[in-house]
Amino acid sequence: MGGRDLRALFGSNDRGIQVEEHFTNRQEQWEAVTDALAEHVRTVAAPGFDVEDLEAPRDNVLVFHGVGGIGKSTLSRKVEAALAHGEHRPTQWGEPVRVTGRVLPVRIDLARSAGTDFERVVLTVRLALAELGRPLPAFDLALRRYWDHVHPGESLEEFLRRGGLGRRFGKAVPQQMQSALADIAQAVLLPGTVGAVVGQVTSSVVRALRDHRASVRALAGCSRLADLLEAEPDLDALSYYTHLLAWELARLPVGRAVLPVILLDTFEDVGDRVHRDLERLLQRVVWLMPNAFFVVTGRSRLQWAEDALHGQLDWTGPTAWPGLAVPSGPAADAASAGPAPRRQILIGDFSAEDCDDYLARRLTRDGTPVIAPAVRAVVTARSHGLPLHLDLAVQRFLAIRRTGREPRPADFDVDFPALISRTLSDLTPDERHVLRSVSLLDNFDVPLAARAAGMTYEAAALRLVERPFVRTDPHAVWPYHLHAVIRSTIRTADDRADDRWSAGDWARAATRAFDAIGERRAAAADGDRDLLVNCLRQGLRLARDFGLDLGWLAEAAWSYVGDSVWEPLAPPGPAHGTAPRTAADALVETLGALGRRQHEHRESTVARLTAVVESGLLPPELRDMAVYYRAKAERDLGRSDDSRHGMCLVADGGGRLAPAARRGLAHLARLAGDFPTALRTAGTLGWAGRHHRILGDVWWVQGDMARAARSYEAAREEAEQHAVAGERATAQAQRAFTLAFADPSVAEDELVLAQQLLTGLDLRATRLTTRIAGLVRDAGAAAAGLEDRARVLRAEAEVSGITAARLTLELALGFHHAVLDDRDRLTASLGRLRDLVAGDYAYYPDLVCFMAGRPLPDDRPSRARWIDGEETTRARWRALVTVRRAHLLGI
């Protein structure tokens, strides 16, 4: 669909290539047109509709707005063609709206390059109505009077011929006007030629209308005609004459009725938002022709429904233009975004499928796409659905072929500078400045945009956020963000604009943006996790990309770590594995590794944090962060000696993580089976060392599930008091795991709570704990599918590199087999446990033996230092098995 693309056609000597200006389906927009037209038809046909009612609200305009190059003009042309000739309508668009009479589409390009002024707009509408084949006497008389006054000595026919309008619409209008004036002259009994006496005709008609003469009965129904004919015939009066067109259309007989659909394209070229002279005239046309329907396409939405424009335009506010207003209250401000107006539609980007279809059909040879699928995939990904980017890529494709080689996918992993000029073309200098500033930000609000631009006023930022390349997400921390390809182009393409920025300008803007984000972070309420993460992501990238000092990032990093939530944090950019060069690089890599450790093997975490520690770029306290979490990962991998060394370094340093490191040492003592030392250390840790969780970890291994559950409950409550979501979820997961051994029915509710507390958190080890707890809860139940679930969990635990999860899983299976008294499988579980333990966790096989009532190998004593002695511990674990058997038997 679509015509020949002459620019692409002349871009190659290869005559075998078929070049089509392919139109990609815009079905949703077409449905909006047909729905609005159907509603308009019902309104006009309603008994109470009066074309001379100048106070009724207007709903006869539909606006499509979007970024430059999104396809608005193409849509406008296609809608015109589809309304004029059904065979030009894409099959996906369905049937056109059915109206009494016929639809008469009139498309007017308001682009500066088209040279369309208001006079030509009115003449174009009248010329299109010449297809009615009859004069429109009231309007024609007023127009002729205007023409003779403003263009003395120049015939309308010659003007139309010279301006090209005559070729487009034919020569019927001058003839119809001549006929109308002759009839009017005869009606008021004026002799002579019409041309010589048009002024007399006008005067005579006015007198006849004032005197209510029967000779002008045909015109007397237009109550405002006399006043219009007496007014000074200037451009302002011409805009009011369109009321006469509406009146003439309203009195057409049913068989000759017509519905004009006037498509005003490139509306952004009407003028800026300070000088609205032409916009005021065009709005007047829309208001005074309520029986016509207008489809406006442009870069920005119409502001007519805003009361603030009172005095700049004739009709403003939501009462006057209900379809253009936000339906649920005032327009969205900088803090939030309301729903879209019903009749103002943002034209969205192409889907990936539409992009590929567009590229495949633009250049073909014998019906086969010339652009290879791999190239199309790269262009589609880079375009973010912007049609202009696709078009520029086609031109690049042809340019590369002219060099004698076949284009490759890598040739299109670029931005196009032409997008910058298209984006900036209708922005004020202040808006351009703000645009470049916010291109440094993932998202922003109006105050942040103004602050990043270094402005003490927000006017330019307020105007900018109304532009279609600024997208709105009401659920984001800050609601605005730039269209992805526009942002990428402004940041990376070769900007040749007159006001382009130097490297120093970009660096200063980055510093302003970084400081502004830090100020917002400092002013935020404690516990606003979304704001913290948003500030960190943006601040980290700015500091990394522009070599900024860490500043507020250090304190924000501690807040991020303190909540133990671990959202993915590292901003896009250089892949990890490259050596950090600055403190910002090192902090990005540290926090990125901490977030990613929930999704990758602990070996990777250790390697990444080791590179950070060895770089020596972080200040001492932040270096402790890398050392501590590396030691935690080493413990997960079973490298206790390495972990203990790191924990001792941090504990001896006395920094913020010293209590956590002492907790880590207590964990290591527990893993080694030195439970008295772990218990004694827990008493010295306090909240900072998570003392209650350490106690729970010690007591459940002793088989004392009640005491362990109480400790975990205390840990959860303490975490709630300190608003640390990750610790709260971890403590609850451990409580559910412990109670799953003792009482499955109680454990069910505890597991539900644990899963609720994990919502929105990225805690891989804790999620594995809850799933293992589910196995323990179901232990002994033949229909639970427990073995299959365990195989899946075993694979996930191996991928994670978390040794504790693998061991705990085998312990849970040992409990299951002990309850069933399945000796073969119990022996297999014991074998897997012995293969996994190496120094640490050496007592786990002992626990399975305790459960099954088996002696330890070679009748040796347990090497663990049990709190209440080996026999008491053995009795507790054996009792858990016998109680579960009784529960399953219903005893």
Side-chain angles (χ1 to χ4, degrees):
M1 294 175 286
R4 300 288 283 173
D5 182 348
L6 296 181
R7 182 173 50 150
L9 180 67
F10 282 89
S12 172
N13 291 329
D14 189 346
R15 297 303 303 277
I17 293 180
Q18 299 298 310
V19 183
E20 297 295 332
E21 189 179 29
H22 176 62
F23 178 77
T24 300
N25 177 33
R26 287 288 192 180
Q27 185 173 353
E28 291 184 6
Q29 286 75 30
W30 170 250
E31 290 174 355
V33 171
T34 55
D35 290 347
L37 270 178
E39 184 179 340
H40 177 73
V41 168
R42 290 191 295 269
T43 299
V44 173
F49 179 79
D50 181 4
V51 76
E52 292 195 282
D53 184 352
L54 300 181
E55 297 180 357
R58 297 298 195 254
D59 211 13
N60 60 329
V61 59
L62 177 66
V63 181
F64 292 112
H65 60 106
V67 299
I70 199 68
K72 302 179 296 295
S73 294
T74 303
L75 174 65
S76 181
R77 289 192 297 269
K78 182 56 64 173
V79 169
E80 178 192 31
L83 291 175
H85 306 286
E87 64 272 16
H88 293 160
R89 186 180 67 258
T91 55
Q92 303 98 319
W93 279 15
E95 292 299 314
V97 63
R98 301 298 180 185
V99 302
T100 303
R102 66 189 182 93
V103 174
L104 179 63
V106 186
R107 182 173 175 275
I108 303 172
D109 188 354
L110 298 171
R112 296 184 185 98
S113 58
T116 303
D117 57 14
F118 181 71
E119 193 175 81
R120 288 175 66 88
V121 170
V122 175
L123 287 174
T124 299
V125 175
R126 175 60 185 94
L127 289 165
L129 293 174
E131 293 190 23
L132 294 171
R134 56 182 286 162
L136 303 175
F139 177 81
D140 289 348
L141 174 60
L143 177 61
R144 181 58 182 270
R145 177 169 179 263
Y146 165 85
W147 195 262
D148 285 358
H149 180 80
V150 177
H151 299 273
E154 179 181 18
S155 72
L156 179 60
E157 185 173 6
E158 173 61 22
F159 176 85
L160 297 176
R161 184 193 64 77
R162 190 174 66 251
L165 292 175
R167 289 192 302 274
R168 178 180 174 187
F169 294 102
K171 302 179 180 180
V173 166
Q175 298 169 2
Q176 291 174 6
M177 290 178 64
Q178 197 78 356
S179 172
L181 293 176
D183 291 343
I184 293 171
Q186 185 177 4
V188 294
L189 304 176
L190 285 175
T193 64
V194 172
V197 295
V198 65
Q200 297 178 41
V201 172
T202 302
S203 300
S204 298
V205 168
V206 170
R207 286 195 299 272
L209 289 170
R210 300 293 190 201
D211 294 340
H212 304 287
R213 296 181 196 169
S215 59
V216 289
R217 183 182 300 110
L219 299 177
C222 185
S223 61
R224 295 178 177 86
L225 175 59
D227 296 298
L228 288 172
L229 293 177
E230 287 182 319
E232 180 72 16
D234 54 16
L235 199 63
D236 205 47
L238 179 63
S239 66
Y240 286 106
Y241 292 169
T242 54
H243 169 72
L244 303 176
L245 274 180
W247 181 78
E248 295 278 16
L249 290 171
R251 69 193 194 102
L252 290 173
V254 174
R256 305 290 295 276
V258 66
L259 171 60
V261 178
I262 301 170
L263 300 108
L264 301 175
D265 189 27
T266 327
F267 203 82
E268 68 270 13
D269 278 6
V270 163
D272 59 43
R273 295 192 166 188
V274 176
H275 305 95
R276 297 179 181 264
D277 297 337
L278 179 54
E279 185 179 4
R280 183 173 62 253
L281 297 175
L282 291 172
Q283 190 208 52
R284 196 172 291 159
V285 173
V286 177
W287 187 271
L288 296 177
M289 297 186 69
N291 48 353
F293 192 78
F294 295 81
V295 179
V296 174
T297 45
R299 294 193 181 184
S300 302
R301 64 178 181 84
L302 290 184
Q303 296 178 306
W304 298 353
E306 297 181 11
D307 287 320
L309 292 186
H310 179 71
Q312 296 184 63
L313 300 174
D314 293 345
W315 293 276
T316 58
T319 301
W321 304 97
L324 303 181
V326 175
S328 62
D333 58 17
S336 63
R342 181 170 55 90
R343 289 289 178 84
Q344 305 226 52
I345 299 172
L346 178 67
I347 298 184
D349 303 323
F350 284 172
S351 67
E353 293 78 10
D354 280 346
C355 289
D356 187 75
D357 181 61
Y358 177 94
L359 293 168
R361 294 173 183 265
R362 274 295 300 274
L363 302 177
T364 60
R365 178 184 282 109
D366 299 326
T368 302
V370 172
I371 305 177
V375 172
R376 299 202 304 267
V378 172
V379 173
T380 294
R382 290 289 301 199
S383 74
H384 293 277
L386 184 66
L388 177 58
H389 186 102
L390 304 179
D391 184 56
L392 292 170
V394 170
Q395 304 308 315
R396 181 175 179 81
F397 184 91
L398 293 172
I400 292 172
R401 291 182 86 252
R402 288 199 298 271
T403 68
R405 71 173 177 85
E406 193 64 22
R408 298 185 294 266
D411 295 324
F412 298 89
D413 192 16
V414 297
D415 292 310
F416 295 108
L419 284 172
I420 298 179
S421 59
R422 289 291 296 269
T423 303
L424 300 180
S425 61
D426 62 337
L427 302 183
T428 66
D430 278 355
E431 288 172 338
R432 294 182 179 207
H433 185 76
V434 176
L435 174 62
R436 288 190 172 96
S437 300
V438 298
S439 71
L440 295 166
L441 302 173
D442 298 335
N443 51 70
F444 57 93
D445 58 13
V446 168
L448 182 62
R451 176 73 173 83
M455 292 181 171
T456 57
Y457 51 91
E458 298 178 353
L462 283 167
R463 293 195 302 271
L464 185 75
V465 297
E466 294 180 352
R467 300 288 182 170
F469 52 75
V470 177
R471 302 301 169 82
T472 303
D473 179 0
H475 304 295
V477 173
W478 297 317
Y480 303 114
H481 63 274
L482 292 183
H483 185 288
V485 75
I486 299 297
R487 181 187 180 198
S488 172
T489 303
I490 290 173
R491 287 285 295 113
T492 63
D494 185 16
D495 185 351
R496 307 309 301 170
D498 291 341
D499 58 351
R500 62 185 177 275
W501 279 7
S502 68
D505 291 329
W506 282 109
R508 285 185 287 275
T511 300
R512 289 195 303 268
F514 180 81
D515 291 343
I517 294 170
E519 291 166 4
R520 297 294 286 274
R521 161 66 189 148
D526 291 339
D528 191 339
R529 183 75 182 181
D530 290 340
L531 180 70
L532 167 68
V533 171
N534 191 45
C535 289
L536 264 175
R537 283 180 180 146
Q538 303 206 59
L540 284 169
R541 187 180 58 256
L542 288 168
R544 180 196 65 193
D545 293 350
F546 291 91
L548 306 179
D549 292 337
L550 293 181
W552 59 269
L553 285 175
E555 196 59 39
W558 285 112
S559 297
Y560 170 78
V561 168
D563 285 344
S564 301
V565 179
W566 312 120
E567 304 94 329
L569 193 60
H576 73 263
T578 58
R581 296 174 294 104
T582 66
D585 288 337
L587 185 57
V588 166
E589 183 65 3
T590 299
L591 298 182
L594 298 188
R596 284 298 305 164
R597 71 194 175 112
Q598 308 300 328
H599 306 280
E600 60 191 15
H601 199 281
R602 290 297 198 265
E603 287 279 9
S604 178
T605 305
V606 169
R608 294 178 67 177
L609 293 177
T610 296
V612 169
V613 172
E614 292 178 350
S615 74
L617 293 168
L618 289 176
E621 278 211 332
L622 289 175
R623 184 178 182 276
D624 274 359
M625 182 187 293
V627 171
Y628 170 76
Y629 283 101
R630 180 181 64 177
K632 283 193 68 174
E634 288 167 336
R635 185 185 71 206
D636 290 340
L637 291 168
R639 301 174 187 171
S640 295
D641 290 342
D642 292 336
S643 178
R644 187 173 292 105
H645 175 71
M647 293 294 182
C648 286
L649 285 176
V650 176
D652 292 344
R656 298 194 198 198
L657 285 173
R662 288 193 288 272
R663 178 181 78 230
L665 293 171
H667 276 305
L668 289 166
R670 175 177 60 85
L671 302 187
D674 186 359
F675 302 118
T677 296
L679 191 64
R680 188 167 53 253
T681 303
T684 68
L685 294 176
W687 154 249
R690 308 298 191 260
H691 56 146
H692 287 305
R693 181 149 63 90
I694 294 292
L695 291 173
D697 291 344
V698 169
W699 286 119
W700 81 259
V701 178
Q702 315 302 310
D704 193 341
M705 301 306 177
R707 188 180 293 186
R710 289 195 297 272
S711 296
Y712 287 132
E713 183 176 32
R716 185 196 68 206
E717 291 173 349
E718 199 167 34
E720 288 175 349
Q721 294 168 8
H722 289 84
V724 180
E727 176 64 21
R728 180 182 61 174
T730 297
Q732 177 59 29
Q734 288 295 132
R735 174 176 165 80
F737 170 75
T738 297
L739 289 172
F741 284 102
D743 191 334
S745 57
V746 172
E748 177 66 29
D749 292 337
E750 299 295 333
L751 271 173
V752 169
L753 177 57
Q755 289 158 357
Q756 290 174 347
L757 296 180
L758 276 168
T759 301
L761 304 183
D762 203 358
L763 296 171
R764 190 178 197 178
T766 302
R767 289 188 184 279
L768 287 172
T769 298
T770 61
R771 294 170 66 187
I772 294 170
L775 297 184
V776 175
R777 175 200 59 197
D778 298 335
L786 197 142
E787 294 287 348
D788 290 337
R789 290 156 59 191
R791 276 192 289 273
V792 173
L793 270 172
R794 186 178 292 118
E796 292 185 23
E798 289 174 356
V799 168
S800 71
I802 302 174
T803 300
R806 299 170 67 187
L807 287 160
T808 307
L809 172 61
E810 297 303 335
L811 188 71
L813 284 172
F815 182 65
H816 173 62
H817 301 321
V819 171
L820 293 175
D821 197 20
D822 188 333
R823 299 187 179 185
D824 291 339
R825 290 185 173 177
L826 186 74
T827 300
S829 289
L830 272 170
R832 286 192 296 269
L833 273 174
R834 291 184 180 121
D835 290 340
L836 286 172
V837 300
D840 287 337
Y841 298 102
Y843 53 86
Y844 266 46
D846 296 358
L847 295 180
V848 175
C849 291
F850 294 169
M851 295 175 195
R854 292 186 179 186
L856 297 182
D858 302 324
D859 290 325
R860 63 166 175 80
S862 174
R863 287 187 289 268
R865 297 177 60 202
W866 304 104
I867 300 296
D868 299 315
E870 180 177 334
E871 290 306 315
T872 300
T873 305
R874 175 185 285 273
R876 288 172 180 157
W877 280 103
R878 183 61 181 167
L880 291 171
V881 172
T882 56
V883 168
R884 177 61 59 90
R885 286 176 180 170
H887 170 77
L888 292 171
L889 292 173
I891 299 175

